[in-house]
Amino acid sequence: MTSDSATEQKGKFEPKEPVQLAPPKDDEISLDHLAKCNGVDGNPTYVAIKGTVFDVSGKDSYAPGKGYSVFAGKEPNRALALSSLKPEDCIPETDGLDEKQQKVLDDWFTFFSKRYNVVGKLPPKDAGSSS
C-alpha cells in the first residue's frame, strides 16, 4: 500500500461532520452493566467492540426497534465482522473468522472510535477464570 492509499484509507472513516469526543475513559464496565445499557428505561445505549465500550446514546439507529438496536448492550464482534444483524451473531467470540472478516471488525472499531465516546473497557476475558 502506498502512503497515498494509506492516507485515503484513514480518511474513509472520517465523519462527514466533525465530532468533538471526550477523552476516552478506561473504567471497567461489567458485562451485566453493559447488558442494561440498551437504551431502554432511560438507560444509555452502549456498544462494545473488541473490549472497548462506546456510548452511542442519541444515535437513532441504535434505539430500541431500530436497525442496529440488536447491537445495543452487547459486544457484537462476530456480527460486525460478518456484517450481520442476526441476534445469534451478536457475540464477542471471533474464532473462525478469516483475515478479511477480522479486517471488517477492525474497520468497525475505527469507525466507532471516530464517532462515539469511549466510556470504558470490558473486564479481560480471562477475569475470574481459575486457569
Side-chain angles (χ1 to χ4, degrees), residues 9-66:
Q9 274 294 102
K10 279 185 180 165
K12 82 176 188 176
F13 296 110
E14 293 300 323
K16 289 181 179 96
E17 299 294 323
V19 177
Q20 197 65 23
L21 295 174
K25 296 181 182 175
D26 62 358
D27 300 343
E28 190 169 291
I29 294 177
S30 71
L31 293 173
D32 286 343
H33 182 69
L34 175 65
K36 291 175 186 157
C37 294
N38 59 4
V40 178
D41 296 330
N43 289 318
T45 308
Y46 291 171
V47 174
I49 303 174
K50 296 169 52 172
T52 299
V53 183
F54 297 93
D55 185 347
V56 298
S57 301
K59 186 68 174 165
D60 192 49
S61 48
Y62 297 93
K66 300 292 183 167

Side-chain angles (χ1 to χ4, degrees), residues 1 10-11 18 20 31 37 40 52-53 63 72 74 85 89 99 103 105 116 129:
M1 185 187 302
K10 279 185 180 165
Q20 197 65 23
L31 293 173
C37 294
V40 178
T52 299
V53 183
K74 298 183 179 88
L85 291 173
D89 289 334
E99 197 174 308
K103 168 103 175 57
L105 179 58
Y116 306 114
S129 74

Side-chain angles (χ1 to χ4, degrees), residues 65-96:
K66 300 292 183 167
Y68 296 137
S69 65
V70 69
F71 301 144
K74 298 183 179 88
E75 184 183 17
N77 293 334
R78 178 169 294 280
L80 291 169
L82 299 174
S83 300
S84 169
L85 291 173
K86 295 178 186 171
E88 62 269 23
D89 289 334
C90 292
I91 58 174
E93 289 74 32
T94 57
D95 348 336

